Amino acid sequence: DIACAISKLSRYTSNPNKTHWMAMKRVLGYLKYTQNYALHYNKYPAVLEGYSDANWITGSNEVKSTSGYVFTIGGGAVSWKSSKQTCIARSTMESKFITFNKDGEKAKWLQNFSKGIPYWPKPVAPVCIHCDSQAAIGRAGSMIYNDKSRHIRWRHNTIRELFSSGIITAN
């Protein structure tokens, strides 16, 4: 719950100003107040699912979008990440598609990892990734390329392969 704040503050570790120190004190105060909070894993079915989201460039001084995901098993978080994208997206759909691609790769890794767990239900079910962009989901299943999408062709091939092989599904 502090990943975004820490990510933004970490950009100024070499030269923090008074505003950054005040923000850090606020984060530390939050941690002190919430030190007794914890994740609780319930007896839900052992289903691996993911949640994917991204925002397009939000500020005038930013050039890259922010991506994030969380994967849960039985309702409890097991893997999560929030970071700047490594390339520049030209639209909100592209930003979400790039994130969806990265999350698909993480889902494949988690699914392969779960195959090695002795009591995990076999066969391992496809990982459902929840994405709030129907355009990104549609692009992932599309066989059509055009001049506007050539720069994300390899991402398209990767995500389409994950869909067709039954490793992931989208919702």
Side-chain angles (χ1 to χ4, degrees), residues 94-141:
E94 273 188 25
S95 176
K96 291 182 183 270
F97 185 80
I98 291 166
T99 301
F100 196 47
N101 173 60
K102 288 292 185 186
D103 300 349
E105 292 172 357
K106 183 64 173 187
K108 181 179 180 180
W109 186 92
L110 288 168
Q111 188 184 50
N112 286 335
F113 178 76
S114 65
K115 288 177 182 176
I117 299 173
Y119 298 107
W120 193 268
K122 306 290 190 274
V124 177
V127 179
C128 180
I129 300 177
H130 301 278
C131 177
D132 64 351
S133 174
Q134 292 302 311
I137 293 170
R139 172 60 60 99

Side-chain angles (χ1 to χ4, degrees), residues 149-162:
S149 65
R150 287 188 179 183
H151 65 286
I152 59 171
R153 179 178 287 184
W154 69 270
R155 286 186 171 89
H156 185 265
N157 290 338
T158 302
I159 198 75
R160 197 178 70 230
E161 184 180 315
L162 292 172

